Amino acid sequence: MGVSSEVITAAANSPETARDGFGLYVHIPFCVSRCGYCDFNTYTASELGAGVSRETYASIVRAEIRAAAARFTQRSGVNDEHRDSPPRVDTVFFGGGTPTLLPAGDLAAILAEIDAAFGLARGAEVTTEANPESVDADYLAELFDGGFTRLSVGMQSTSSHVLKILDREHSPAKALAAVEYAHKAGFEHVSLDLIYGTPGETEADFAASLAAAIDSGVDHVSAYALIVEDGTQLARRIRAGTVPQPSDDVAADRYLAAEAALSAAGFSWYEVSNWARSDEARCRHNLLYWEGGHWWGAGPGAHSHLPGVRWWNHKHPSTYATALAQDIPLAGYETLTEDDRYLEQVMLRTRLSGGLPVTLLRTNGEAAAQRAADDGLAVIEAGRLQLTLRGRLLADAVVRDLTA
């Protein structure tokens, strides 16, 4: 066992691991085509190389899940502590890529492997992302019967010309049909993802997208400003001058429009970019991330976090599969310092509606918290710093000041 492997095994056996819940993320790296704005670790069929295919992927990632579970009962050279059994899994999230490019039976088989290897906690939340064009009524019914409890649909917009700029494959009607299929299948919790600030999107376009999301009956909406990532097709088009650069002022206006429409419809924000109709509708898996919980990430490029350590798998599916045949497919890891933990805790908890306990802040941070309150960017109530609406627009700046 190498040093890095010993570190991960020791972290897995830490008593902290399941103290605040434990999650499992499964990365499905397949896409039919690459969206122009996307820089995620995804691959079309021609980019996969040897050793991995859609047909073989479920069996490969199931092998990593079994290897992961073994880490929680294995002794390491770092200490002699070990568990009698791995922690039960409170949340599972299938992301991508497009998880729903795999057959529903394959996703259910991966979930069954998680239950067999770790055990799903009673009432576990199990989410998959879905592109609208990749699901139908039968597919979602099979997913629900296989144990999935939550669906997150990438609608992005109901405007055809906006979807074209984003290189999305689906029509506006497809996303709304996917929501209807999910409700008929029995899914109580369904989320729609929106992107705002796309070049060419008008105020009316975004208003229509918000209205469609609200009227669809979903109980959760995520809305994200378009970010132009280096190396993407969209970035190249902007550099070439064929598409204008997104406007920060427009993005701020769109965010205010989202807050107004969603709050009027009974949604409440619980994280800067996420709104839910009820506490039960909040994404528990994402809250696990934001509240400093622990998780194992399975699949190519997936990141994991256990007490004091973060690591990541090999990115390319072929390299990942080759490494997995020898051990866990570890590409690298970092040991988190106290400063690392502090920065992440402040950055993530500040974005939550529940706010950041002021007692967690260092001396400079306490002074910065008071400045944020004096400037109308936050309020301090019951010992917690909570962002105002204006503060949510400037959340990154608030965090920078708190951690300076």
Side-chain angles (χ1 to χ4, degrees), residues 162-218:
V162 171
L163 293 174
K164 185 175 181 180
I165 289 289
L166 296 173
D167 294 317
R168 297 290 291 184
E169 295 287 330
H170 67 272
S171 67
K174 281 280 190 180
L176 300 176
V179 172
E180 183 179 353
Y181 297 149
H183 285 149
K184 287 183 177 178
F187 283 91
E188 181 179 0
H189 301 303
V190 183
S191 177
L192 279 173
D193 287 357
L194 300 176
I195 289 178
Y196 58 83
T198 302
E201 176 196 66
T202 66
E203 181 180 346
D205 289 333
F206 188 56
S209 297
L210 286 167
I214 291 165
D215 292 344
S216 72
V218 297

Side-chain angles (χ1 to χ4, degrees), residues 12 14-22 83 86-88 90 294 306-307:
S14 166
E16 292 182 51
T17 297
R19 186 180 61 194
D20 300 314
F22 179 74
R83 295 174 176 274
R88 286 196 171 273
D90 299 288
H294 302 108
L306 290 178

Side-chain angles (χ1 to χ4, degrees), residues 132-343:
E133 71 278 11
S134 64
V135 296
D136 58 21
D138 290 340
Y139 186 99
L140 293 180
E142 187 174 352
L143 271 190
F144 184 76
D145 291 342
F148 285 74
T149 67
R150 190 174 180 277
L151 187 73
S152 180
V153 180
M155 180 166 78
Q156 318 313 353
S157 176
T158 56
S159 169
S160 295
H161 72 90
V162 171
L163 293 174
K164 185 175 181 180
I165 289 289
L166 296 173
D167 294 317
R168 297 290 291 184
E169 295 287 330
H170 67 272
S171 67
K174 281 280 190 180
L176 300 176
V179 172
E180 183 179 353
Y181 297 149
H183 285 149
K184 287 183 177 178
F187 283 91
E188 181 179 0
H189 301 303
V190 183
S191 177
L192 279 173
D193 287 357
L194 300 176
I195 289 178
Y196 58 83
T198 302
E201 176 196 66
T202 66
E203 181 180 346
D205 289 333
F206 188 56
S209 297
L210 286 167
I214 291 165
D215 292 344
S216 72
V218 297
D219 61 357
H220 188 283
V221 173
S222 299
Y224 303 102
L226 177 66
I227 297 175
V228 180
E229 302 286 0
D230 290 341
T232 61
Q233 179 64 25
L234 180 60
R236 290 188 286 272
R237 294 169 71 185
I238 289 173
R239 281 199 304 273
T242 59
V243 174
Q245 179 75 34
S247 162
D248 290 341
D249 289 340
V250 169
D253 289 341
R254 298 287 187 269
Y255 185 87
L256 294 174
E259 169 61 22
L262 291 167
S263 61
F267 290 79
S268 298
W269 79 283
Y270 68 101
E271 191 274 341
V272 167
S273 299
N274 290 272
W275 291 259
R277 288 191 188 268
S278 66
D279 288 350
E280 294 74 24
R282 297 177 176 187
C283 180
R284 288 162 44 198
H285 186 84
N286 285 341
L287 280 168
L288 183 82
Y289 297 153
W290 299 326
E291 293 175 346
H294 302 108
W295 69 92
W296 190 291
H303 283 61
S304 302
H305 176 259
L306 290 178
V309 62
R310 180 188 294 110
W311 72 94
W312 47 94
N313 288 347
H314 288 284
K315 290 186 69 173
H316 195 280
S318 180
T319 308
Y320 161 82
T322 299
L324 179 59
Q326 306 300 319
D327 195 1
I328 57 174
L330 180 71
Y333 81 101
E334 60 180 335
T335 301
L336 301 176
T337 66
E338 286 302 315
D339 284 346
D340 293 333
R341 292 189 181 198
Y342 176 75
L343 177 63

